[in-house]
Amino acid sequence: MAQATSTDLTPTLPKRPTVGTLGKPITVRTNYYEIDKRPQGPLYHYDCKITDREPRALPNAKPIPVAKTRLIMMEFMEKVLKHEIRVSYDGKYNLHSYRKLPQDKLTSEDTIVYWTRPFFPILSLRPLNPQVTLNSLGGHADVYKISLELVNVIHLEAFNALNKGIRPTTSDQAGQIVTAMNILDVLIHQWPAQRYIAAGKNFYYPAGTVPMSSGLEVWRGAFQSIRMGENGKLYVNVDTAAAAFRKPKNLVDMMAEFFSMHNPNDFLRYKGLADWQTRDLNREYRGTEIEITHRGGDNRPRFKIERFTMQTAEKLKFRDDQTNKELSVANYFKQQYNAQLKYGAYLPCVVIVKKKREIFFPVELCRIVENQRYKNKLNPRATADFIKIACTKPEERERKIQELIRQIDFENNADLRAWGMHVNTKQMLTLNGMYSPCVGLLGSKFVISQDPIPDSHVLLVAVARVLPGPVLAYDPSSKQGQLTPREGAWNLVGQVVPFGSKLTSWAIAVFGSENEMPNIAIGRFIQELVNVCTERGMNVVNKNPKVVRGNRNEDPTVALDKAYSFASFRDPATNIPVVPQLIMCILNDKAKQSRLYDPVKKWGDCKQGIVTQCVTYYPHVPRAQNQYCNNLFLKINAKLGGMNIKLAPKMLGRWNEVPCIIVGCDVTHAPIGSTSPSVATLVASMDSSFARYAAEIRAQPLRREIIEDFGGMLKALLNMFYLRNNKAQPQRILVYRDGVSEGMFEAVKKYEIDAIKRTCAELSVNFKPLVTYVAVQKRHHTRFFPMDQNRDRSGNCVPGTVVDTGVTHPYEFDFFLQSHAGIQGTSRPTHYQVLHDEFQFKSDELQLLTYRLCYTYGRCTRAVSVVPPVFYADQCGYRVRTHLKDANKWSGDESKRTDDSGEDPASLFETLSVNIKGVSRLGFCIS
């Protein structure tokens, strides 16, 4: 998913028609601090290359790590430039300065950096010729060359003019502004990156770490990034950050934690690990840096783990180069280093690769190195631990941000001082005539209070509005035929859904024994579920489905096939057997955490083409609670083609006065380290209520973000819409596109919006619907903190809070919308950026339409945080991962296949069953 920013100033994007006015005005704080001094320019751009003096021996050798190139450049500034000039360096090829360097061009032969491990540089530069020698702790010396060449002078007239309200009129001017923003964003990260552990725009520090499961610990940190807001003002967006790091401990201790053992001595009970345990270790620790401890002292060479052996240290044998004799790894270390292995007969060896040779080390002689951020996907238990530790309430998050401002220490940032920049962390800002205790009533301008607030770091104060919520429509027989939610939520008690599905043929597959999951408890649960489904408007014909038991340690498809054979039931109205519609699976683990979940979904989606519903046995089945059964009903009814909710008439304004369609798009990528293809998903509304959706899915090459077959997928959905709406074609198409960063806006406009136009023309020459295309961005760090009584029970802003001034784009059409009620932690608003608008939405219209659509998500009775089409597209993409022929490809535990292998991405997935058609195609993704 994309990082949301407000820095793309491409003149071709739609301009904000007007600032929105609808709703109740409220005042909020946001985690932005104004940069009240900025460089005036010009800036000097140098092409920078840092290379080995001698070519690397391996043809496919990895480039010098960015962390190391930045350290080399630090030494360059300190030892050569004497800090008289401070540069902005991105760690790769781009170096910028506010002053010209002593020479416009330094060739590779002029500059040499000697780098001695661990990180003690000796640098000499000719012809500037200062000599710098630092004492080395010993170790190998690497030699690097620096080449610098002045390639451009960047003038900042357009950048500074924007601050005066003068907008760019050409692409060159817009490009100048974007370039300046990127340079300053790199600059502002250099100072903390030298003092802390940097990762992208985040940095972390080891103070106050909190231990968690799986051999990990949580480090606190900060995020910071430069943003441009109203009237071209510059801000620093500062937010809290947290990340999982590996604990620096002996590898055996970490393995015990990973397997949730009480202590490492538990390994002594078994002679070796099971194969699945070794596979899990490979997946967990491949690429982790370790140091070897058997020599003692400071002589601890470091390597990265390639894999673990299947044999223990006592059983694994190799041929010693010196004696040409075969001996075990355990005996070798005993003879050579007098190392008596405690776990030699019980645990495997680590395999590292050095100069294309495999070397074995017993795990107890390995120690995990400090400061290693965990980059794998957290397992369910670790995820729960991390959320519990990292989740903070709004008041606490605001306090922590203010503490981070002191820790970041903008006032003493030497880079900012040298570049003539200053971040105002002690003055409160306000917007649009709202009363602020520090500023008073300020009219409509964006004004800085002249009175500093002592001993505090106050966040930016912005004006927000709370949009009016919708009226929801239920069946007239309901307790309330029309219902108005309160605080973004409502209750199903007494309500009958607009359209209930008919359930005739179904069965229950129970993956547990009678002792673990008694029939009497299952019977009570099914009876309560049937009663709830009936009360809510479903027609459940077979109220006593057959129950089949399966062994959870065996292939689940055996029990699923059996349940399918028992599911068919004769409809009393026609006396005709109905094809099985639903198999409910009762599991002993949390549904999506169970190892049975993926096989069950693949079986249902690809083999039989039948809806499956997974249920966690404990605590839900024994308790048979009405609330849980209501939640389950929402999923089942939606999967079977029912309609759980719709908006009351006239809730969507002029948008649906004619046939129109809403499309949600997303591309789902596999975790880091996986070579699984990406999955592109389009979902589209199929009715005027925007309550029923159909989906189209395509596999495409790894990490490809543009949807390659956008036109083909859209054509299938438009044909479906045509057939389901009395051969009416939509006159308006509204697209919500997830996962688009500001750097991709032009590529999306060029490819995907053009694909929409081409597709419509292919269907009919006269088919020319109005197209509006909105990018949806969730991965950003803008947060809003309520300042008055306009907060919900969690302390967050109330649902419907919208902001389109202050921290939004200076003039393009974008806004932040917090549509949901907070449950835990600090709510994240969603950022919406209009990329194309033929319908010519007014600000209030698009904001209100987007907000009210958030109440139409089919599987809960709450407003959701993002428009449902995007939610559905995201769910579909994630669901398709279960269709992989080789499930290990998603997790990365497979042979290394690259994107250029020529393999058809679709060939790696099982084909979706032909029984899943039309609108029901969305049902398979609502887990």
Side-chain angles (χ1 to χ4, degrees):
M1 292 187 191
Q3 176 69 41
T5 73
S6 296
T7 60
D8 188 10
L9 299 157
T10 308
T12 58
L13 295 184
K15 307 300 183 286
R16 183 179 291 109
T18 56
V19 173
T21 59
L22 183 66
K24 174 185 175 183
I26 62 170
T27 304
V28 297
R29 277 190 291 267
T30 187
N31 52 337
Y32 281 54
Y33 294 87
E34 187 185 9
I35 299 174
D36 53 15
K37 292 181 181 179
R38 62 170 81 181
Q40 298 303 304
L43 304 179
Y44 300 91
H45 178 197
Y46 292 83
D47 181 68
C48 177
K49 294 179 182 176
I50 299 178
T51 58
D52 297 274
R53 189 174 66 175
E54 301 296 334
R56 297 201 171 191
L58 298 177
N60 297 322
K62 293 182 179 179
I64 302 169
V66 169
K68 184 175 283 189
T69 59
R70 284 176 171 162
L71 288 170
I72 294 171
M73 190 53 61
M74 271 174 45
E75 289 299 316
F76 175 76
M77 286 193 295
E78 179 180 349
K79 306 302 182 184
V80 177
L81 300 179
K82 305 295 184 183
H83 286 317
E84 293 178 4
I85 302 177
R86 304 190 73 91
V87 300
S88 170
Y89 176 54
D90 66 0
K92 296 180 180 178
Y93 305 109
N94 298 296
L95 182 143
H96 295 86
S97 174
Y98 57 92
R99 282 170 48 191
K100 290 184 71 174
L101 299 183
Q103 295 172 224
D104 287 349
K105 186 173 182 179
L106 296 173
T107 66
S108 295
E109 298 304 320
D110 292 325
T111 308
I112 302 176
V113 176
Y114 297 85
W115 196 275
T116 56
R117 298 191 179 95
F119 302 143
F120 282 85
I122 304 170
L123 182 148
S124 72
L125 182 66
R126 302 185 297 270
L128 297 179
N129 201 33
Q131 280 286 340
V132 179
T133 303
L134 299 180
N135 293 328
S136 169
L137 293 180
H140 179 69
D142 291 334
V143 183
Y144 297 96
K145 298 183 294 186
I146 297 178
S147 175
L148 294 173
E149 182 175 1
L150 180 65
V151 293
N152 193 18
V153 178
I154 302 166
H155 299 281
L156 301 183
E157 285 83 358
F159 178 65
N160 291 316
L162 188 58
N163 193 29
K164 301 174 184 177
I166 304 173
R167 299 177 181 179
T169 57
T170 67
S171 295
D172 287 343
Q173 290 178 344
Q176 178 196 112
I177 296 171
V178 173
T179 299
M181 291 287 293
N182 291 337
I183 294 169
L184 298 183
D185 204 41
V186 170
L187 179 75
I188 205 168
H189 286 91
Q190 290 184 163
W191 177 259
Q194 296 168 17
R195 303 155 68 195
Y196 307 106
I197 304 297
K201 294 188 177 184
N202 294 355
F203 60 86
Y204 304 96
Y205 42 86
T209 59
V210 181
M212 55 184 283
S213 61
S214 302
L216 305 173
E217 59 189 11
V218 177
W219 284 33
R220 306 288 185 181
F223 165 91
Q224 60 173 12
S225 181
I226 289 183
R227 296 286 184 264
M228 183 171 284
E230 190 176 40
N231 295 328
K233 291 184 179 291
L234 292 185
Y235 300 97
V236 181
N237 176 205
V238 180
D239 195 17
T240 60
F245 278 70
R246 295 192 185 276
K247 293 179 183 176
K249 285 187 176 181
N250 182 275
L251 185 54
V252 175
D253 295 335
M254 292 301 95
M255 289 165 56
E257 286 195 36
F258 176 69
F259 289 122
S260 302
M261 295 178 172
H262 293 293
N263 61 68
N265 288 333
D266 289 350
F267 285 123
L268 301 177
R269 299 178 183 177
Y270 312 100
K271 291 269 185 176
L273 299 178
D275 288 352
W276 67 266
Q277 290 178 305
T278 304
R279 286 194 297 270
D280 283 355
L281 288 176
N282 287 334
R283 191 160 41 234
E284 175 71 10
Y285 289 102
R286 180 178 290 133
T288 301
E289 190 173 10
I290 56 173
E291 59 183 14
I292 310 303
T293 61
H294 62 280
R295 293 180 178 176
D298 293 328
N299 189 3
R300 295 187 172 192
R302 295 185 174 187
F303 304 99
K304 288 188 176 180
I305 295 174
E306 178 66 22
R307 60 182 175 85
F308 290 79
T309 62
M310 301 301 289
Q311 295 175 296
T312 65
E314 283 193 358
K315 291 184 179 180
L316 181 64
K317 295 184 178 182
F318 70 102
R319 187 167 297 278
D320 188 356
D321 291 342
Q322 296 179 354
T323 63
N324 199 32
K325 292 182 179 180
E326 191 177 75
L327 72 164
S328 70
V329 172
N331 286 335
Y332 172 81
F333 278 90
K334 182 177 181 180
Q335 295 174 16
Q336 196 76 11
Y337 301 102
N338 196 29
Q340 186 67 42
L341 301 182
K342 178 178 180 180
Y343 300 96
Y346 305 93
L347 292 178
C349 292
V350 162
V351 180
I352 66 99
V353 176
K354 184 177 182 182
K355 296 181 179 179
K356 297 186 177 181
R357 292 186 60 193
E358 290 190 340
I359 304 175
F360 307 108
F361 292 103
V363 290
E364 61 193 274
L365 302 182
C366 303
R367 179 181 178 274
I368 293 179
V369 173
E370 294 84 353
N371 303 339
Q372 291 191 77
R373 190 165 61 92
Y374 187 75
K375 298 181 181 180
N376 298 343
K377 182 180 179 181
L378 294 172
N379 63 48
R381 182 184 174 191
T383 299
D385 290 347
F386 183 85
I387 292 173
K388 185 177 180 181
I389 296 167
C391 187
T392 53
K393 293 182 178 179
E395 298 89 344
E396 183 183 358
R397 193 185 196 108
E398 187 175 349
R399 177 183 57 78
K400 287 184 176 181
I401 291 171
Q402 294 168 2
E403 291 175 356
L404 286 172
I405 290 297
R406 287 188 284 271
Q407 189 147 350
I408 294 171
D409 195 12
F410 288 115
E411 295 295 329
N412 292 312
N413 187 321
D415 291 333
L416 298 186
R417 279 203 309 268
W419 281 61
M421 296 177 64
H422 180 261
V423 180
N424 181 357
T425 62
K426 292 183 177 294
Q427 291 182 323
M428 184 177 285
L429 310 179
T430 193
L431 274 173
N432 287 348
M434 293 301 294
Y435 182 78
S436 164
C438 290
V439 185
L441 201 59
L442 297 177
S444 60
K445 289 188 176 181
F446 198 51
V447 184
I448 304 173
S449 168
Q450 299 303 314
D451 300 320
I453 301 171
D455 301 323
S456 63
H457 301 282
V458 187
L459 305 181
L460 172 70
V461 180
V463 169
R465 291 171 288 116
V466 179
L467 299 175
V471 176
L472 308 179
Y474 280 92
D475 187 86
S477 64
S478 301
K479 181 180 179 181
Q480 298 181 70
Q482 292 197 341
L483 182 150
T484 302
R486 297 186 60 184
E487 297 185 354
W490 63 100
N491 200 313
L492 268 183
V493 173
Q495 299 301 111
V496 178
V497 296
F499 182 80
S501 58
K502 183 176 181 179
L503 177 58
T504 303
S505 296
W506 60 308
I508 315 296
V510 180
F511 291 91
S513 66
E514 166 70 24
N515 289 334
E516 296 170 311
M517 304 177 185
N519 282 331
I520 188 170
I522 294 170
R524 282 198 305 264
F525 174 76
I526 296 301
Q527 188 60 51
E528 178 64 18
L529 177 62
V530 168
N531 291 340
V532 167
C533 290
T534 303
E535 290 171 2
R536 298 294 158 261
M538 272 184 67
N539 179 10
V540 184
V541 178
N542 179 10
K543 294 180 170 52
N544 295 291
K546 295 283 182 63
V547 176
V548 173
R549 290 193 180 270
N551 188 333
R552 61 173 172 266
N553 295 318
E554 297 177 354
D555 182 1
T557 61
V558 176
L560 291 169
D561 286 338
K562 187 176 181 182
Y564 185 87
S565 66
F566 288 159
S568 183
F569 190 80
R570 287 184 178 273
D571 188 341
T574 62
N575 198 33
I576 297 175
V578 177
V579 174
Q581 300 167 274
L582 169 70
I583 301 297
M584 181 176 291
C585 302
I586 300 180
L587 312 177
N588 68 323
D589 300 317
K590 287 186 177 180
K592 289 188 178 181
Q593 297 176 14
S594 171
R595 70 173 191 83
L596 299 178
Y597 179 84
D598 287 1
V600 165
K601 295 303 178 182
K602 183 191 288 188
W603 175 88
D605 300 341
C606 303
K607 181 180 179 181
Q608 294 292 359
I610 186 174
V611 169
T612 56
Q613 179 61 55
C614 294
V615 175
T616 303
Y617 177 79
Y618 187 82
H620 303 305
V621 173
R623 294 178 182 177
Q625 291 180 326
N626 183 271
Q627 181 62 50
Y628 179 78
C629 290
N630 272 284
N631 293 338
L632 202 56
F633 152 77
L634 291 173
K635 292 184 179 183
I636 294 172
N637 190 49
K639 289 180 180 184
L640 295 176
M643 182 190 299
N644 290 333
I645 188 63
K646 69 177 182 178
L647 296 170
K650 300 182 180 180
M651 281 292 104
L652 297 178
R654 66 188 180 105
W655 169 253
N656 64 339
E657 293 172 345
V658 296
C660 52
I661 190 170
I662 296 180
V663 179
C665 322
D666 192 23
V667 179
T668 302
H669 304 294
I672 295 173
S674 171
T675 58
S676 172
S678 296
V679 178
T681 310
L682 260 65
V683 303
S685 59
M686 291 289 124
D687 62 4
S688 60
S689 301
F690 307 112
R692 286 195 175 106
Y693 288 81
E696 282 293 320
I697 301 153
R698 301 286 189 276
Q700 59 184 43
L702 174 69
R703 304 288 168 195
R704 192 72 54 84
E705 189 57 60
I706 293 291
I707 299 176
E708 293 192 336
D709 192 26
F710 196 104
M713 299 165 74
L714 181 63
K715 182 181 289 187
L717 292 169
L718 288 173
N719 285 331
M720 231 179 287
F721 182 93
Y722 180 78
L723 294 174
R724 292 188 58 83
N725 289 272
N726 297 319
K727 298 186 178 181
Q729 292 177 322
Q731 297 182 33
R732 298 166 184 169
I733 299 177
L734 174 57
V735 178
Y736 288 101
R737 173 66 154 93
D738 193 13
V740 180
S741 67
E742 75 283 354
M744 291 179 55
F745 287 169
E746 281 304 307
V748 165
K749 283 174 66 70
K750 181 179 179 181
Y751 190 90
E752 295 183 3
I753 297 175
D754 284 354
I756 297 174
K757 296 293 186 180
R758 287 195 309 272
T759 300
C760 294
E762 290 171 4
L763 289 172
S764 172
V765 177
N766 299 319
F767 182 32
K768 298 179 180 179
L770 300 177
V771 177
T772 296
Y773 195 104
V774 182
V776 180
Q777 299 174 308
K778 297 175 287 186
R779 290 201 171 182
H780 59 80
H781 286 264
T782 300
R783 299 293 184 273
F784 298 120
F785 304 97
M787 293 182 63
D788 44 34
Q789 72 277 10
N790 293 291
R791 65 185 69 218
D792 63 17
R793 285 175 289 184
S794 68
N796 284 286
C797 295
V798 296
T801 298
V802 65
V803 173
D804 61 358
T805 60
V807 296
T808 50
H809 194 279
Y811 51 83
E812 288 175 1
F813 195 177
D814 72 326
F815 57 93
F816 289 95
L817 172 64
Q818 184 182 308
S819 52
H820 63 297
I823 297 177
Q824 62 177 351
T826 305
S827 296
R828 186 205 318 258
T830 299
H831 182 244
Y832 296 89
Q833 171 84 47
V834 180
L835 303 189
H836 187 79
D837 185 21
E838 296 176 358
F839 183 67
Q840 297 184 339
F841 273 106
K842 297 176 182 178
S843 292
D844 284 331
E845 283 183 317
L846 183 58
Q847 292 166 9
L848 191 62
L849 169 64
T850 302
Y851 175 48
R852 288 181 168 174
L853 285 173
C854 291
Y855 283 80
T856 63
Y857 183 56
R859 53 175 286 186
C860 67
T861 54
R862 305 179 65 89
V864 291
S865 61
V866 68
V867 281
V870 166
F871 228 130
Y872 291 138
D874 182 67
Q875 285 181 311
C876 284
Y878 186 73
R879 173 64 164 271
V880 172
R881 89 197 192 287
T882 67
H883 301 168
L884 278 166
K885 294 176 181 177
D886 180 0
N888 289 326
K889 282 190 179 295
W890 189 264
S891 62
D893 187 23
E894 83 288 342
S895 60
K896 295 182 179 178
R897 179 184 61 83
T898 59
D899 186 32
D900 59 0
S901 63
E903 196 170 12
D904 178 13
S907 68
L908 303 176
F909 293 86
E910 299 286 355
T911 304
L912 200 65
S913 171
V914 295
N915 295 331
I916 298 178
K917 299 177 182 178
V919 178
S920 65
R921 291 192 67 155
L922 183 65
F924 79 85
C925 81
I926 306 176
S927 300

